[in-house]
Amino acid sequence: MAEIINLNRVRKARAKSEDKTRAAANRVVHGRSKAEKQAARTEQERAERRLDAQKRETPTED
């Protein structure tokens, strides 16, 4: 015979698992010190400037 499954319990277990995953991601994002956040921001800006410097400008014909 098949095992009886309580769908409410399965739904709640899935939601709890998703909440744990979301919480872990938030800990990574928000669990950094001010200096770490500033360093990451500086590195991102440096990468954007480097990328912009490598772009080729196309001449516009007006």
Side-chain angles (χ1 to χ4, degrees), residues 5-44:
I5 298 174
N6 184 338
L7 296 179
N8 232 5
R9 188 174 294 162
V10 172
R11 178 181 51 80
K12 288 181 181 182
R14 184 182 317 128
K16 188 174 185 178
S17 173
E18 290 171 357
D19 287 344
K20 284 184 179 182
T21 304
R22 189 176 312 116
N26 284 340
R27 280 193 299 272
V28 170
V29 173
H30 299 289
R32 298 182 299 167
S33 68
K34 187 173 183 178
E36 290 173 333
K37 290 177 186 177
Q38 182 63 33
R41 190 177 306 118
T42 303
E43 182 60 33
Q44 178 66 27

Side-chain angles (χ1 to χ4, degrees), residues 43-61:
E43 182 60 33
Q44 178 66 27
E45 289 171 357
R46 184 179 298 135
E48 288 176 4
R49 282 194 310 264
R50 190 178 310 136
L51 182 62
D52 287 341
Q54 299 296 322
K55 288 184 180 178
R56 292 184 181 177
E57 304 254 346
T58 57
T60 57
E61 295 180 23

